[in-house]
Amino acid sequence: MNSSDAPLKIAVVLGSTRPGRRADAIGDWVLRQALRREHTKFELVDLAEQALPLLDEPAPAITGNYAHAHTRAWSARVAEFDGYLFVTPEHNRSVPAALKNALDYLYAEWGDKAAGIVSYGVDAGGARAAEHLRGVLGELRVADVRATVALSLMTEFDDADGGRVTPGPHQEQKLETLLDQLLSWSAALRTVRRAAP
């Protein structure tokens, strides 16, 4: 099997490290739906497990000159994927500091790959965080797909059942559209990376 025939590998990135976060429940919901897809491998990447301190690299990420073992480990982890599906809450109208920090650690490893966004929040389902994330991804040469899922903490979670996510059928359809676009763009950008010198 050559590299073009290999299954796409997509990271579902949990962008919150906050205790009591809803990212776990949403990540599980995303994976349950995503794992129905053939010829694609989906894997959960939890920022809470990455042990990344506040950015402590002396050289800018664009140089690829990493001084610390935690950065080299994060680099290897991110580089293995063809695309990313970010699960992010909205904190003060933007993304959590842990997610921005994780993105800022690297540069080339993100480039010429695709991303989708599932956001959540009290107000507007985290849509403002998703829009901020799009700007950051663009600077990292990540092609974010148009389709998004925005989940309301007020209506799509069952606190009586341990905070289980309970999205309606319309959200499941939005996630299907997001996954269609993400996989299509991830496959196309794989050819771009292969053609790069």
Side-chain angles (χ1 to χ4, degrees):
M1 177 185 298
N2 66 38
S3 61
S4 64
D5 295 330
L8 289 170
K9 192 169 183 185
I10 306 295
V12 177
V13 180
L14 302 186
S16 172
T17 59
R18 187 177 189 172
R21 65 189 181 174
R22 302 299 177 97
D24 298 294
I26 298 168
D28 289 344
W29 171 68
V30 167
L31 279 176
R32 279 195 308 274
Q33 199 156 327
L35 290 173
R36 299 178 198 152
R37 303 287 177 126
E38 296 181 358
H39 206 62
T40 304
K41 294 181 179 179
F42 290 89
E43 191 172 324
L44 203 63
V45 175
D46 188 348
L47 293 185
E49 297 174 356
Q50 299 307 310
L52 291 172
L54 194 60
L55 184 58
D56 62 351
E57 285 290 335
I62 200 168
T63 68
N65 183 15
Y66 303 135
H68 301 295
H70 55 258
T71 310
R72 292 189 292 275
W74 180 231
S75 169
R77 187 78 170 117
V78 169
E80 67 184 271
F81 294 101
D82 295 299
Y84 312 95
L85 197 161
F86 292 97
V87 175
T88 182
E90 183 175 306
H91 290 182
N92 298 317
R93 297 183 178 241
S94 191
V95 297
L99 177 53
K100 181 65 165 66
N101 188 56
L103 290 165
D104 288 346
Y105 257 96
L106 309 175
Y107 182 75
E109 296 84 347
W110 301 112
D112 293 327
K113 296 180 183 177
I117 302 169
V118 174
S119 64
Y120 62 99
V122 173
D123 194 23
R128 291 167 297 212
E131 289 308 306
H132 279 203
L133 182 54
R134 288 181 190 279
V136 175
L137 295 174
E139 184 63 21
L140 294 171
R141 299 179 10 257
V142 177
D144 58 285
V145 301
R146 181 183 182 277
T148 60
V149 177
L151 300 171
S152 169
L153 287 172
M154 304 301 290
T155 61
E156 294 173 301
F157 292 84
D158 185 353
D159 288 326
D161 190 16
R164 186 173 61 90
V165 62
T166 56
H170 68 290
Q171 296 288 26
E172 292 180 2
Q173 184 54 54
K174 286 182 179 182
L175 180 56
E176 285 298 321
T177 301
L178 186 160
L179 290 168
D180 287 343
Q181 293 178 7
L182 176 58
L183 299 184
S184 175
W185 281 61
S186 294
L189 286 167
R190 178 190 268 180
T191 66
V192 170
R193 292 195 308 279
R194 190 177 307 111

